[in-house]
Amino acid sequence: MAFDCTKPNPLYMEILIFKTDIRDRKRVTDVEQHIENIEGVIKWNVDLHDCDNILRIEAEKLSPRTIEQELQQAGYYCEELAD
């Protein structure tokens, strides 16, 4: 099951992929406000069926470290996956 949140599509975007411990709907709801408050996030979703609970973020001018730090401060594991 994937949860998807979308904002208007800009001209330039990058896709960031993270391994997380967001394992259920409650945790998706818990991190939603944290992700939504990060400037540059356009669209995001969490794949709860993937063994790595993949967080996929489409963003404009956003460092992966910003996402990792924000979720870690919220109490969640978040690690960018290499290409």
Side-chain angles (χ1 to χ4, degrees), residues 1-5 15-23 27-28 31-32 34-36 38 41 43-58 62 64 66-72 76-81:
M1 177 176 297
F3 292 88
D4 195 3
C5 297
I15 298 173
L16 307 172
I17 309 290
F18 302 89
K19 178 178 180 176
T20 74
D21 65 351
I22 302 169
R23 295 185 194 108
R27 292 179 186 207
V28 171
V31 300
E32 181 175 13
H34 297 282
I35 294 171
E36 292 287 325
I38 299 172
V41 172
K43 180 178 179 181
W44 65 278
N45 64 59
V46 178
D47 186 349
L48 298 177
H49 292 293
D50 186 276
C51 65
D52 290 329
N53 303 300
I54 295 297
L55 168 62
R56 180 180 181 272
I57 296 179
E58 293 179 26
L62 182 61
T66 301
I67 300 295
E68 289 173 340
Q69 290 172 355
E70 183 69 29
L71 290 186
Q72 288 169 0
Y76 292 92
Y77 171 78
C78 181
E79 177 185 349
E80 182 184 23
L81 294 178

